[in-house]
Structures are given as structure tokens and as C-alpha cells.
């Protein structure tokens, strides 16, 4: 297993090109199931997760070809309307093939994903939404067996709480249903808007994406389209926090200002400067130390749970005490004990972490259990004295394209150690 070695202490300066958003790309790829025509996706990040989904789609019968950052997908026929446990267990987003398979093929068999490192993560809202759209669902031997013999039928779906995945899943199924579907209490994340825009480019009739109420008028057939994946707001926030923590000045090229407004607000409070520029977002940090600032994770437009670990890393060396509250996932502080191995002072109480900033972290051997937790250790390593070795790099490879190269180009002393 590869590791990443970082020698801390260098300031960062230069340009980081922001890649296409992993969490959007994965759902856009799934949209290929809805049409027999080619779907050409550009600004596609090359990540373990997108490669993994390509394998699943190939298994279903999709022809997938990549050329640079463009991926062409064509599902002329569904050859197998089933996603086995081994493919869904490794990446939960695979579960989202269920709705589109059902919409196009009338039946599907997809493994339940099971729990994961950040929480139980049930899929009850996904299944409820599909049932409301007329699917008959049975759970057998760890699999969802779903049928819609007469096709899906538009419906009113009122989510009891906000779920990104369930909103996307309902969208992906309802575009081919008969009649109108209304999603209430829908997620408003930029990835939802991106998926809706891609589906609209394929001919779907959708209004209201980005608000809590989405209207979908089902149609018989979707067409092919050329579509560019939205720049990754979580990658943007991650590099912004890296610069704010390590110090320096970096342009996050192609980053969209509006997608991270709460983070910009918190970074201003913490003493860093962030400005909206024509080419992206410029982050400047020339302060001695950041000032401790509190956050609470919330569905968009609130503070993203996917930036919580990185923010905590920044706060470990800030002046004062910050309170970090995680309200989306029940087990998303797994990075805290690893940060403590580097000298951070963190008290965990339920869903709250109280971080008391220390003057200096020390490099150590660390490892993490998920993608965002791993990258928080990279941020800590950039400011720690001495050498940090981060294990289980495969977590990082799931969601950060060219991480070492992007940071090294800005002056970080970072390298991958192959084993
Ligand atoms: C998406 O997960 C992202 N993943 C996550 O990013 C992100 O953290 C999350 O949204 C929140 O922004 C992808 O897009 C692939 P949810 P998702 O449904 O859709 C509970 C990363 O690191 N829930 O909004 O699974 C759930 O357990 C990943 O890139 C149910 O109870 O998140 C959680 O507590 C990690 N029943 C809450 O809702 C359901 O049926 C919100 O989850 C569905 C969700």
C-alpha cells in the first residue's frame, strides 16, 4: 500500500487547477443508463471512484471510453440489470444505478450497500422514493429486487429530511416516469443542480433544482448530450484550507465562489483573505496564526460535512478554542485521534469536537479511514514540524486527482512512497 510523505513548514504559492466534482461525476455517469445514445462528459476527474463506477457500468452493458478528461458512455442495451454486492460494497454511490435501471428496464436487482466508516448510512429514503414512483420492492438476501412492470409513475415525494443521494436517485428515476413528480424538502447541493442540468441537456423536463422543491415532468425517452462536470467545491475548500493553514497565496483556478460561501465567511473570521476573481478564487494567508472559529455542518448552503475534517486540521494550530459540530453523519470524527497523534488538542463529546489550538504540530505516522479524513492529515502534515507519513493512501485516491502534484507545484515538500 502506498504512503504519502510530507515534510512540513513550506508556505504554498501558485495555482491549483480544480478538477471536476467527484460527487457530481458519479451521478452524471449513472445517467447513461437512461438513454441508448452517447453521453459525453468532459472535465471528468480520473479517480479510483470514477474508474470503479466505469467497471460497474461496463458490467451492466455500458461502453465506456476515456480520452484525457473526456469520458464517453453509451448504454445501447442493458445487458445485466443487476449490481452485485462486491461492486456496491466498495462504493456506495453504485447503489444509485437502481432507479435508472428500473426506469429504463422495468426491473433491477442491486445489492444493499451496508454501513461505512462515517456512519450507518441507510438507504430507506431512496427505497421509499422509488416505491412512491410505483416500484414494487423486495429485500432478499441483502439485495433490493425492484420491479415496475408498467413503468414508473410520477408522484409527490416529501423527504422527511434532506438527503443528497435520495434526491439524486429520485431525479434519476422520475425523468422517465409517466406524469409529474414533485420532490419536496429536496437537497439543494450544487451537485443536484449539475445532475439536473445534465438531464435537461439530455431532454429531461426539470424545474427548481437548487431549491427545496423540484418539479419533473416525465418523458418517454432521453437523448445523448455533451456536458461538463461542475468544478469540485470540496476539492476547492480543501486547498483553500491547506493554504489558510500553511500560509501563502494560491489561485484555485476555475473554483466557483458561490459554492463555498460559508467556508469563505469562516476563513475571513479566522483571519485569511479570500477573493472572487475572474479565473477562480484567490486565497491569501499571511497571518502568524489563524484565529479559532466555530462551525456546524449542515446540508447546503450550510457548512459541508465533507470539509469538516479539513477545517478541524486548520483549527488544530489556530489561536484559541473552536467548537466543531457534526450534524450529518454520526461517526465522522475518526480523523481526530490521528490529529492528536500529531500533537493536536481535541476533546470529543458526542457530535462535538472542541479543538484548542497548539503552537506547533509534530510529524508522525498516521492513517485514516475515509477520504476527507485522510486529506485533513495532509493539511496537518503541511504545517507539522518534521516528517508525516500518511498510510492507506487509497482513500485519497478515491477523490483527489493528482493531490501530491498539485501541492508540490505550489511548493509543498510532498511525495508518494510506493510499496
Ligand atoms: C453524499 O452522500 C456524498 N456522497 C457525501 O460525500 C456527502 O458527505 C453527503 O452527500 C452529504 O453532503 C456522494 O455524493 C457520493 P445523504 P449521501 O444522503 O448522498 C442519512 C465524500 O466524502 N440517510 O445526504 O450518502 C445519512 O445516513 C462523501 O465524498 C438516511 O438516513 O448523503 C446521513 O446521515 C462522504 N437514509 C444523512 O441522511 C437515506 O435513505 C445525509 O446523507 C439516505 C440518507
Amino acid at each position: 500500500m502506498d504512503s504519502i510523505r510530507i515534510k512540513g513548514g513550506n508556505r504554498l504559492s501558485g495555482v491549483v487547477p480544480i478538477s471536476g466534482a467527484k460527487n457530481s461525476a458519479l451521478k452524471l455517469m449513472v445517467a447513461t443508463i437512461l438513454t441508448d445514445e452517447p453521453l459525453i462528459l468532459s472535465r471528468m476527474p480520473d479517480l479510483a471512484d470514477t474508474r470503479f463506477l466505469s467497471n460497474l457500468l461496463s458490467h451492466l452493458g455500458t461502453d465506456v471510453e476515456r480520452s484525457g478528461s473526456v469520458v464517453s458512455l453509451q448504454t445501447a442495451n442493458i445487458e445485466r440489470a443487476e449490481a452485485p454486492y462486491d461492486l456496491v460494497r466498495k462504493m456506495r454511490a453504485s447503489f444509485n444505478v437502481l432507479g435508472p435501471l428500473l426506469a429504463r428496464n422495468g426491473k433491477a436487482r442491486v445489492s444493499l450497500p451496508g454501513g461505512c466508516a462515517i456512519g450507518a448510512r441507510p438507504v430507506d429514503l431512496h427505497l421509499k422514493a422509488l416505491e412512491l414512483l410505483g416500484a414494487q420492492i423486495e429485500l432478499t438476501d441483502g439485495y433490493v429486487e425492484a420491479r415496475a412492470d408498467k413503468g414508473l409513475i410520477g408522484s409527490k415525494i416529501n423527504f422527511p429530511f434532506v438527503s443528497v443521494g435520495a434526491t439524486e436517485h429520485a431525479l434519476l428515476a422520475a425523468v422517465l416516469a409517466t406524469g409529474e413528480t414533485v420532490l419536496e424538502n429536496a437537497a439543494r447541493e450544487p451537485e443536484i443542480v449539475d445532475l439536473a442540468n445534465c438531464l435537461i441537456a439530455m431532454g429531461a423536463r426539470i424545474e427548481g433544482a437548487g431549491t427545496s422543491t423540484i418539479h419533473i415532468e416525465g418523458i418517454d425517452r432521453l437523448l445523448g448530450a455533451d456536458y461538463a462536470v461542475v468544478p469540485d467545491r470540496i476539492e476547492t475548500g480543501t486547498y483553500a484550507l491547506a493554504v489558510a493553514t500553511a500560509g501563502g497565496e494560491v489561485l484555485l483556478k476555475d473554483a466557483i465562489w458561490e459554492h463555498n460561501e460559508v467556508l469563505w465567511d469562516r476563513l475571513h473570521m479566522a483571519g485569511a483573505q479570500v477573493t472572487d476573481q475572474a479565473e477562480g478564487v484567490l486565497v491569501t494567508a499571511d497571518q502568524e496564526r489563524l484565529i479559532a472559529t466555530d462551525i456546524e455542518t449542515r446540508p447546503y448552503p450550510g457548512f459541508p460535512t465533507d470539509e469538516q475534517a479539513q477545517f478541524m486540521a486548520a483549527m488544530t494550530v489556530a489561536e484559541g478554542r473552536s467548537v466543531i459540530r457534526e450534524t450529518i453523519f454520526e461517526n465522522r470524527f475518526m480523523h481526530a485521534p490521528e490529529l492528536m497523534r500529531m500533537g493536536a488538542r481535541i476533546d470529543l463529546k458526542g457530535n462535538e469536537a472542541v479543538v484548542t489550538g497548539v503552537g506547533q504540530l509534530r510529524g508522525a505516522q498516521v492513517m485514516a479511514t475515509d477520504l476527507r479524513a485522510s486529506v485533513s492529515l495532509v493539511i496537518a502534515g503541511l504545517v507539522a514540524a518534521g516528517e508525516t507519513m500518511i498510510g492507506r493512501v487509497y482513500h485519497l485516491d478515491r477523490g483527489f486527482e493528482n493531490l501530491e502534484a498539485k501541492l508540490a507545484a505550489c511548493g509543498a515538500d510532498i511525495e508518494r512512497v510506493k510499496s
Side-chain angles (χ1 to χ4, degrees):
M1 268 188 281
D2 294 357
S3 304
I4 288 204
R5 176 162 48 213
I6 305 174
K7 288 203 187 97
N10 293 4
R11 291 167 77 78
L12 301 175
S13 103
V15 178
V16 171
I18 297 302
S19 300
K22 170 191 78 111
N23 285 347
S24 203
L26 295 174
K27 321 304 163 58
L28 299 186
M29 288 173 77
V30 166
T32 177
I33 298 172
L34 297 166
T35 177
D36 57 358
E37 294 193 6
L39 176 62
I40 319 276
L41 298 174
S42 52
R43 207 194 279 126
M44 273 290 292
D46 187 12
L47 302 166
D49 274 13
T50 50
R51 270 176 255 143
F52 187 78
L53 185 56
S54 297
N55 292 340
L56 170 58
L57 291 171
S58 304
H59 168 87
L60 302 177
T62 306
D63 188 21
V64 187
E65 274 173 41
R66 178 181 272 274
S67 165
S69 61
V70 178
V71 173
S72 311
L73 306 125
Q74 186 166 13
T75 314
N77 294 299
I78 310 264
E79 282 163 20
R80 271 175 294 270
E82 54 105 33
Y85 177 57
D86 256 4
L87 294 180
V88 182
R89 172 181 64 88
K90 289 196 193 124
M91 194 188 61
R92 302 178 57 82
S94 308
F95 187 70
N96 275 27
V97 301
L98 174 64
L101 281 176
L102 201 51
R104 168 125 173 240
N105 191 59
K107 63 177 184 181
R109 183 170 186 267
V110 174
S111 169
L112 283 163
C116 83
I118 59 177
R121 300 184 80 185
V123 287
D124 52 328
L125 301 193
H126 298 233
L127 297 179
K128 186 75 194 155
L130 293 177
E131 277 180 339
L132 286 168
L133 291 170
Q136 291 99 55
I137 289 182
E138 277 181 36
L139 304 182
T140 325
D141 305 331
Y143 278 77
V144 179
E145 299 199 338
R147 302 187 71 88
D149 295 336
K150 294 186 187 135
L152 296 172
I153 299 155
S155 176
K156 185 165 161 178
I157 302 172
N158 191 342
F159 294 106
F161 54 89
V162 173
S163 161
V164 175
T167 303
E168 290 165 337
H169 210 155
L171 257 179
L172 280 162
V175 284
L176 286 185
T178 307
E180 195 193 21
T181 297
V182 182
L183 307 182
E184 285 177 347
N185 201 20
R188 292 183 281 161
E189 271 67 4
E191 293 77 21
I192 307 281
V193 177
D194 208 33
L195 174 61
N197 285 341
C198 178
L199 291 168
I200 290 168
M202 294 168 74
R205 299 207 189 117
I206 303 170
E207 278 177 15
T211 74
S212 303
T213 307
I214 305 179
H215 290 263
I216 304 138
E217 188 61 47
I219 53 170
D220 291 344
R221 183 161 183 264
L222 288 185
L223 309 171
D226 272 0
Y227 190 80
V229 181
V230 69
D232 195 321
R233 69 192 167 100
I234 306 300
E235 189 195 27
T236 299
T238 301
Y239 286 111
L241 282 159
V243 179
T245 311
E249 182 166 272
V250 172
L251 175 73
L252 307 173
K253 193 168 169 304
D254 296 332
I256 299 176
W257 174 268
E258 291 75 21
H259 291 176
N260 263 306
E261 303 233 38
V262 190
L263 176 65
W264 307 148
D265 179 57
R266 292 302 183 280
L267 281 176
H268 279 136
M269 286 165 74
Q273 288 102 58
V274 192
T275 50
D276 186 12
Q277 311 247 318
E279 324 84 82
V281 172
L282 183 71
V283 185
T284 311
D286 47 20
Q287 77 289 342
E288 196 57 35
R289 283 175 75 181
L290 290 172
I291 302 156
T293 305
D294 300 342
I295 56 159
E296 175 171 297
T297 64
R298 285 277 162 202
Y300 190 83
F303 193 96
T305 174
D306 289 347
E307 291 174 6
Q308 177 260 108
Q310 301 89 312
F311 195 86
M312 187 185 291
M315 290 300 105
T316 61
V317 288
E319 181 95 56
R321 223 170 60 137
S322 64
V323 179
I324 294 179
R325 196 168 295 126
E326 171 61 53
T327 74
I328 309 290
F329 292 109
E330 64 274 22
N331 189 28
R332 212 173 193 185
F333 283 147
M334 300 291 274
H335 41 284
E338 298 298 308
L339 290 168
M340 288 190 247
R341 298 193 62 249
M342 299 175 70
R345 282 183 57 197
I346 305 168
D347 289 314
L348 296 177
K349 284 188 207 91
N351 72 342
E352 216 173 81
V354 178
V355 184
T356 308
V358 293
Q360 178 76 70
L361 295 178
R362 297 179 306 276
Q365 246 184 321
V366 287
M367 63 181 167
T369 42
D370 83 277
L371 169 63
R372 313 301 175 187
S374 310
V375 85
S376 77
L377 301 175
V378 172
I379 294 177
L382 291 173
V383 283
E387 187 176 284
T388 297
M389 282 289 271
I390 303 169
R392 298 195 180 159
V393 167
Y394 57 86
H395 286 302
L396 284 172
D397 294 338
R398 290 188 64 168
F400 287 96
E401 193 176 46
N402 301 329
L403 177 96
E404 312 94 270
K406 287 185 184 184
L407 283 171
C410 292
D413 189 342
I414 180 168
E415 62 173 355
R416 182 178 289 246
V417 182
K418 298 263 180 205
S419 59

